[in-house]
Amino acid sequence: MSAREEVLRRIRRATKDVTEPDPALDVPVDWTYGRALDTPDVLADFVEKVEDYKATVVRVDEAGVGQAIVDALAELGAMSTVLPDGLPSQWDETVVDSGIAVHRDHPELSRAELNVIDAVVTTAAVGMADSGTIALDHGEGQGRRALTLLPDRHICVVRSDQVVSDVPEGIARLAPGIRSRRPVTWVSGGSATSDIELIRVEGVHGPRRLWVILVD
Amino acid sequence: MKPSIPIATVKLLERLGCTVSYPEKQTCCGQIMTNTGYYKEALPTVRNYVDSFEDYDYIVGPSGSCVGSVREQHAMLAHRAGDGGLEEAATAVAGRTYELTEFLVDVLGVTDVGAYFPHRVTYHPTCHSMRITKVGDRPLQLLRAVRGIDLVELPMADQCCGFGGTFSVKNPDVSIAMASDKARHVRSTDAEYLVAGDQACLMNIGGILHRQRSGIHTIHIAEILASTEKEVSVA
Amino acid sequence: MSTRERLTPEPPSWLGIPPFPEAAKAELGKAQQRKNLRHATATIRTKRAIRAAEVDNWEELRTAAAQIKDRVGRHLDHYLVQAEKAMTEAGITVHWARDGDEANRIVGEIAKAKGVDEVVKIKSMVTQETDLNEHLEEIGIAAWETDLAELIVQLGHDLPSHILVPAIHRNRSEEREIFTTEMGRYGTPAPEGLSDEPAELAAAARTHLREKFLRAKMAISGGNFIVAETGTLVIVESEGNGRMCLTLPETLVSVVGIEKILPTVEDLEVFLKLLPRSSTGERMNPYNSFWTGVTPGDGPQDLHVVLLDNGRTNVLADPEGRATLRCIRCSACLNICPVYERVGGHAYGSPYPGPIGAILGPQLRGLDEARDRALPYASTLCGACNEVCPVKIPFTDILVHLRHKVAEYKTSKHPTVEQGLMKGAGWVMSDGRHLALAQRASRTAGLLVKGRWLGPMPIPLAGRWLQARDVEAPPTETFRQWWKKNRGDK
């Protein structure tokens, strides 16, 4: 008997007391999915929670995004940045005009190349206020996963209409992408560890600095 | 059980106008056997409990742990033994079984029982009172109403004292480590008395406190609530 | 092969650890460890309490999580077949393993086929359970742990002592010492003059591991969840070492217990709210990765999942113990447990310590070993774990149930002294007249002793108790006698 058959046979024997074949009827789940939180000011909550992770949040209007990116790169001391495909051209041009070394991911940058680039600038898919989480679905303007991992500073532009109150609403927005097999990455603050005496230390392997530009 | 506790319980309930009976057939909830894994050996206590108390309106026990065992384990033991009749009877009797402070606050509707106890006291909410029987803050409501009492908060009060029935015999070193920490917290309050709703925990912590010559006495909550200006029920 | 030099630091064996009471005694003697544990558990359980209290419908979430997990457990064959199909369609190669050895063999064969001599690993409980690293070491493959605490444990020739923070028993100065002496032997050494500041220690780990990440061709992970509907794997982590492993190498093998399934994508909302708050006491952990098969041009192009039983079906087969499989390995039960706080994790004799270890271990492995028969008794039944568990595992009920199984196991072989005592107590307590008889004997003892308190005495079973505690002498008048005298007419 294959391991597959053996394990499935063991499971069926172990659950022979279960007589209702429909899982949903057998164990109803008392939960309403996708509910929003009753948050008075979702954007303010988002800012507060993201800042609580010691990340930086700046709020600008649409026209000011390009300059805000340039300012962030300067503030973070970045000498080079990678710009993924699909960033709005106005932002891209502003960054290029600022004179910083700009890298593109085509041809695909090697791990070693990415490792020495100071920063990455991306858009996002969803912001979740209650937990201060940003979800990337690695679509246009977000790059493949390694782009937001190896450079040490991540500047992430989130549109206010992408921000929802909480995780359940966030999952609801991300579900179609997950169902079409997009990889998804959630970022809540910079990389951190609490492995040493349960003290939170920002910065282990992922980008140590997260800088969020919230577009009102 | 240390006799002063049921004696205080009887006097307190009578003072509040209850008619108290003591069916001599009664013994013990059987928890020590159940919690050590000896279900068959515990079953006679379930039967005896039902036989002893079936005819009473309210069964009151001055122990959160024993009452918890009656309410949470008796029916399970009868069920396991395949005794449907006993299971039903045990469930019914358990439904009328109250921990002393629950009975005072919920059934009699009193928090000021007219007690007088002019001492510095700290309260340990025993695990089973708190998490199984779920007496909540009823003991504190009652203690706060005691005249003359100086009630001080116990640091890390909600942590177990390390008794755990046969745990203290099977894992004596861990038990002593836990009881010693509890005793340290009690001493830090400068209380004269440590009060709780379970004698076993008091015996455990009190054993350490006495060995350390701390001068801190242990006392059951029934004993404080039974004390009045006229009659001090402290041994 | 035994003469070959080892590729990775040699860990001690779990098998050398005696049953809990004896192991606990040894652990209690470690003063620095006790201090470290007290500080760390107090810190993290306080954080958990704050973060749980922030959520208005926390209890509703716990109930939903328990229900979802029960639904999965009771229909596990259905969900596993669904998950297998979805994963296969998404380009994942799915393997099944009856036990740890089989899982280790599968992973080893994949590594051999890829021609790699080293792998990077994300912290995974299940590969600790199967002792995968030692299997890989034996076949000439170096497995590098990349979680900071796992790195501390691995470089320290140590065993993990906590589910979430495996080096919880260590403090910063011990960790500095381990990094300074060991890092250079296995790669980039610790920087000169490394201090014991947590930020500096974390930076040293970053540098040491970055080299390994950049060259790694194969990674091994566990998995927090597999969504049956889509075949999506989810990993929850903090440091980004997980993202490194999940993103950079060409090959990724995820070994996942069969109970880790969730039915739908939407079910994630319940667990992603509960897990971080229960686990690290954060609103959300820094990184969550979701992947659904192979994404061309992004991440590993060769994905494997090994679905592992290794005793889980034993747990499933006992309707009273089954709720154990709800566990999402958050470790809230460890942090709140007063026994764990004093003893630490090693005394539990497996990578699963604390209350969850005390109920999971004996069910996964059975009761044939003395250490597994001791585990259900490694608790005072204080019930603190019941209250913090995000999936509402009824720990104390299951502990008592397992004690019953242990008692049955022992007495099925031959009558025991303990059984005799319990039988005796059962007889005494079966009727008030029996109890009165027994009390007469104790009253006689009370009259004999006369003193109010008793000190150290060589009384069987109670001897150790009396080494540390005094006891009051038995009363000279029982309540029964008092009642007869004072209320007897009633």
Side-chain angles (χ1 to χ4, degrees), chain A residues 5 15 46 68 75 95 124 129 144 166 201:
Chain A
E5 292 314 307
T15 53
F46 178 70
E75 198 68 40
V95 175
R144 63 191 166 98
D166 193 13
V201 176

Side-chain angles (χ1 to χ4, degrees), chain C residues 256-269:
Chain C
V256 188
I258 51 173
E259 81 283 17
K260 293 283 173 189
I261 302 276
L262 295 181
T264 70
V265 174
E266 281 73 16
D267 289 316
L268 287 168
E269 72 182 46

